[in-house]
Amino acid sequence: MAASVLPTRCLLSHKSIPRPSALRRLSTLRSLPAPYPTTNVCPSPTCACTPTPTGLDIDHKRPLAGTKPPYAQHIVVCTGRDDWPSRIEDEEGPNLAKELKKLLGPKGQFHDRDHPILITNASLPTTAPSSASAYLFPAFQHVPHIDLSPSGLSRFVRSSVLADAPQGPELPTSHAINAPIILICGHGGRDQRCGIFGPLLQAEFRRALVKSSLQSDVKTQVALVSHIGGHKFAGNVIVYFPPGFQVDGEVAPLAGQGVWYGRVEPRHVEGIVAETVGRGRVVKELVRGWTEWGVEGFEGDGQRARSVRSLSGVWDTWRRWLWSDIWKGRYV
């Protein structure tokens, strides 16, 4: 429903619901050009690929741009498996994701509402059974050994996540990430759409990377991750590029950033590998959003660039409130 034809009393029922002008501005923001090189359409595959699964409820109508959830950091917990429960914090036994959500969540000791942190599990291998390991973005660091004791977790959060603790020998060591990482939502315990698409896309990306010879210089990792939002846009893919990422011998604009794709099918994988991983270009028809860590703006308009991030969830929040009220009979 367009904002311009909404009843006035709908818009005035909650002071926090954005006015029509705000919604029109959000629509404009979603149409802004990406601050990175782009290609409009994903190239067609040059050979046969895995057929796209049929019979799944995939949203092909809603525009993808602007559907990436806002976040300031992403903690990817290595589990060496992909059969997580619907809520990863419900996993029995040692559970780094659960402990981090306690510390960084709304009621946590280190919670900061203005600094949202995305925490997911991944099928990336663990380094030791007696401790945990994780990848951190945008730090682009791999922390191979994380002490799961309360004091160890606090040290990890303060030193590696918040970076407000002095360095010392008792703090966890980390290693720089020097190659792109491709993360695909494969959380079948949460939603069958990503559970079906995830493994298919993982295998297809690995084949395409080998075929492209991009693995000869740097080893791009491809892993499944737990829920990142937007199951209806499956397959969902995140590509992170290390700060030293180069294209044609020069550091690319995407270096140190990440790109989110949605509605990715096996037929798109070769094109994403060629255009995004190989040439550093964003495929516009599939993009859900991008990070702008450390970017002051683009096209000379930093305020609008920042507004894309801050308003990315406005439409969904407003829509939920509105239709909840209509469903309850308040405006009919």
Side-chain angles (χ1 to χ4, degrees), residues 200-220:
L200 291 178
L201 293 177
Q202 182 183 35
E204 201 69 33
F205 268 106
R206 287 173 173 170
R207 282 195 293 269
L209 286 165
V210 172
K211 179 184 175 183
S212 70
S213 74
L214 290 172
Q215 296 288 57
S216 59
D217 297 326
V218 292
K219 184 69 173 178
T220 298

Side-chain angles (χ1 to χ4, degrees), residues 3-332:
S4 59
V5 298
L6 290 173
T8 303
R9 53 182 173 175
C10 287
L11 296 170
L12 298 179
S13 62
H14 298 283
K15 291 184 178 180
S16 54
I17 291 180
R19 297 298 188 267
S21 59
L23 295 177
R24 285 194 297 270
R25 184 167 181 242
L26 176 59
S27 177
T28 301
L29 290 169
R30 281 183 169 172
S31 66
L32 287 174
Y36 309 116
T38 63
T39 184
N40 289 330
V41 179
C42 190
S44 300
T46 58
C47 60
C49 53
T50 305
T52 299
T54 59
L56 300 178
D57 184 17
I58 306 299
D59 185 347
H60 288 279
K61 295 181 179 180
R62 182 180 172 187
L64 285 171
T67 62
K68 178 189 77 65
Y71 65 100
Q73 289 178 268
H74 188 180
I75 303 176
V76 180
V77 178
C78 305
T79 68
R81 40 190 283 264
D82 57 21
D83 56 342
W84 315 288
S86 178
R87 286 165 35 94
I88 58 176
E89 57 267 35
D90 292 342
E91 185 83 51
E92 297 294 334
N95 189 332
L96 177 58
K98 175 182 179 180
E99 300 305 324
L100 290 176
K101 285 175 178 279
K102 285 181 180 179
L103 292 171
L104 297 166
K107 297 182 180 179
Q109 175 184 356
F110 300 107
H111 176 65
D112 183 351
R113 61 178 297 180
D114 296 322
H115 191 87
I117 298 178
L118 178 63
I119 301 171
T120 62
N121 280 347
S123 62
L124 293 162
T126 58
T127 52
S130 59
S131 63
S133 57
Y135 286 76
L136 308 179
F137 303 95
F140 285 88
Q141 294 287 317
H142 175 219
V143 184
H145 300 285
I146 302 170
D147 181 2
L148 292 177
S149 68
S151 59
L153 287 167
S154 179
R155 286 195 300 270
F156 166 68
V157 170
R158 293 188 59 205
S159 65
S160 300
V161 179
L162 305 181
D164 66 353
Q167 297 299 309
E170 75 284 359
L171 297 178
T173 58
S174 62
H175 308 289
I177 300 171
N178 297 315
I181 292 184
I182 299 173
L183 303 175
I184 308 161
C185 185
H187 200 165
R190 181 88 172 217
D191 189 282
Q192 70 165 344
R193 290 167 289 189
C194 284
I196 292 173
F197 265 102
L200 291 178
L201 293 177
Q202 182 183 35
E204 201 69 33
F205 268 106
R206 287 173 173 170
R207 282 195 293 269
L209 286 165
V210 172
K211 179 184 175 183
S212 70
S213 74
L214 290 172
Q215 296 288 57
S216 59
D217 297 326
V218 292
K219 184 69 173 178
T220 298
Q221 297 191 78
V222 183
L224 300 180
V225 292
S226 59
H227 180 57
I228 56 175
H231 289 304
K232 62 184 177 180
F233 301 128
N236 288 294
V237 177
I238 307 173
V239 186
Y240 284 125
F241 302 89
F245 175 66
Q246 295 187 354
V247 173
D248 297 330
E250 297 184 359
V251 176
L254 276 173
Q257 304 296 338
V259 175
W260 284 54
Y261 288 130
R263 294 200 285 256
V264 176
E265 301 175 5
R267 63 188 177 92
H268 296 128
V269 170
E270 184 180 330
I272 292 175
V273 168
E275 289 295 316
T276 304
V277 182
R279 302 179 62 192
R281 294 178 176 273
V282 175
V283 180
K284 292 178 69 174
E285 70 165 329
L286 301 174
V287 70
R288 293 184 58 187
W290 55 80
T291 65
E292 293 176 64
W293 292 317
V295 176
E296 290 300 324
F298 61 91
E299 299 289 318
D301 194 346
Q303 179 60 43
R304 291 198 299 170
R306 287 188 290 273
S307 297
V308 171
R309 296 194 297 275
S310 63
L311 289 177
S312 61
V314 166
W315 170 253
D316 282 338
T317 301
W318 173 83
R319 185 181 60 177
R320 285 195 297 269
W321 282 340
L322 172 63
W323 287 109
S324 175
D325 283 346
I326 291 177
W327 182 258
K328 294 174 183 176
R330 296 179 183 174
Y331 302 112
V332 294

